[in-house]
Amino acid sequence: QQQVKQSPQSLIVQKGGISIINCAYENTAFDYFPWYQQFPGKGPALLIAIRPDVSEKKEGRFTISFNKSAKQFSLHIMDSQPGDSATYFCAAAERGRGGGNKLTFGTGTQLKVEL
Amino acid sequence: DAGVIQSPRHEVTEMGQEVTLRCKPISGHNSLFWYRQTMMRGLELLIYFNNNVPIDDSGMPEDRFSAKMPNASFSTLKIQPSEPRDSAVYFCASSLVAGDAFFGQGTRLTVV
């Protein structure tokens, strides 16, 4: 059962452009939504996370937009750089029900930023 | 802090052999997770521990898989006997119960 759907599967963006990755979830008990960045040969690294009590969170060039009624959230990377080329995963957890970091991951988006 | 440490980084073994993957979580973290990553299934949670106690092992694929956490600073994931379909990258992650999860570098397992 795919509880977190992620799109697109791959994305090519020009340097300086905006990268947008979307995720949708089904489980309304999810209350914690992190994004992870993974480079080849490395483990996923936490990028930014949001709780459903806010609609947007920004950290540097990275912004999460959250739409609780639509059960959707997205990652925006502003001024995309070649160094941002990596695989991005959205995830969700039920922290309020003691789920801690029992994360359900999306399928990943391979981002390539071209010069 | 050295982060989550996994060993070995790469493991190649023959079908039928026992494989043991090791993980040292970040000091002070009280939750530990084992994930498996494959092209077909993405990142899947296999099992997680809180305070060294297994909380949810519903993701463990078969009885051939077992995990232990004898103390707060060490965990193992064992596959016995191993099969080619077990080939994947296995990640260990740790966190405080209500904190963010930090992943290790992973163990790339190849079963031939």
Side-chain angles (χ1 to χ4, degrees):
Chain A
Q1 181 183 5
Q2 179 60 38
Q3 293 194 53
V4 180
K5 295 183 179 180
Q6 183 171 348
S7 63
Q9 188 174 2
S10 62
L11 180 62
I12 299 175
V13 174
Q14 297 299 307
K15 179 184 175 184
I18 302 173
S19 303
I20 302 174
I21 304 170
N22 300 299
C23 284
Y25 63 97
E26 299 166 1
N27 183 356
T28 55
F30 285 147
D31 57 3
Y32 172 68
F33 303 89
W35 284 88
Y36 281 82
Q37 178 189 55
Q38 185 178 29
F39 292 104
K42 303 292 186 182
L46 180 66
L47 195 60
I48 186 172
I50 197 169
R51 293 189 178 275
D53 52 345
V54 296
S55 60
E56 186 175 282
K57 183 174 182 180
K58 183 176 180 180
E59 290 185 0
R61 296 184 295 109
F62 300 92
T63 299
I64 300 178
S65 297
F66 187 84
N67 186 330
K68 187 174 181 178
S69 61
K71 292 186 286 186
Q72 295 175 347
F73 58 110
S74 59
L75 176 69
H76 296 234
I77 305 174
M78 311 300 287
D79 187 27
S80 299
Q81 299 297 312
D84 297 331
S85 297
T87 301
Y88 292 80
F89 294 92
C90 61
E94 299 179 32
R95 284 196 169 178
R97 293 189 180 182
N101 279 303
K102 182 184 175 182
L103 297 168
T104 298
F105 281 91
T107 50
T109 296
Q110 204 162 359
L111 171 65
K112 183 177 181 181
V113 181
E114 294 184 335
L115 293 170
Chain B
D1 196 322
V4 176
I5 299 174
Q6 291 186 245
S7 64
R9 289 296 313 277
H10 303 272
E11 176 80 41
V12 180
T13 190
E14 291 185 347
M15 181 174 62
Q17 296 297 305
E18 177 180 295
V19 175
T20 299
L21 311 182
R22 297 172 175 78
C23 175
K24 176 179 169 54
I26 294 173
S27 178
H29 281 186
N30 48 14
S31 292
L32 183 138
F33 308 81
W34 283 100
Y35 286 87
R36 178 171 68 176
Q37 185 174 36
T38 62
M39 289 295 293
M40 290 297 295
R41 300 176 67 89
L43 275 160
E44 304 174 277
L45 177 66
L46 300 177
I47 185 172
Y48 82 95
F49 298 82
N50 277 352
N51 298 312
N52 312 338
V53 176
I55 302 300
D56 186 342
D57 64 355
S58 60
M60 296 286 263
E62 305 172 28
D63 292 345
R64 298 185 296 107
F65 286 69
S66 63
K68 294 182 179 180
M69 191 164 187
N71 57 60
S73 59
F74 184 66
S75 177
T76 60
L77 178 68
K78 185 179 294 186
I79 308 173
Q80 165 64 16
S82 58
E83 296 182 4
R85 60 193 167 119
D86 301 331
S87 297
V89 181
Y90 290 82
F91 288 103
C92 175
S94 73
S95 74
L96 294 171
V97 172
D100 296 318
F102 295 86
F103 284 72
Q105 299 273 48
T107 295
R108 181 173 294 278
L109 173 65
T110 303
V111 183
V112 298

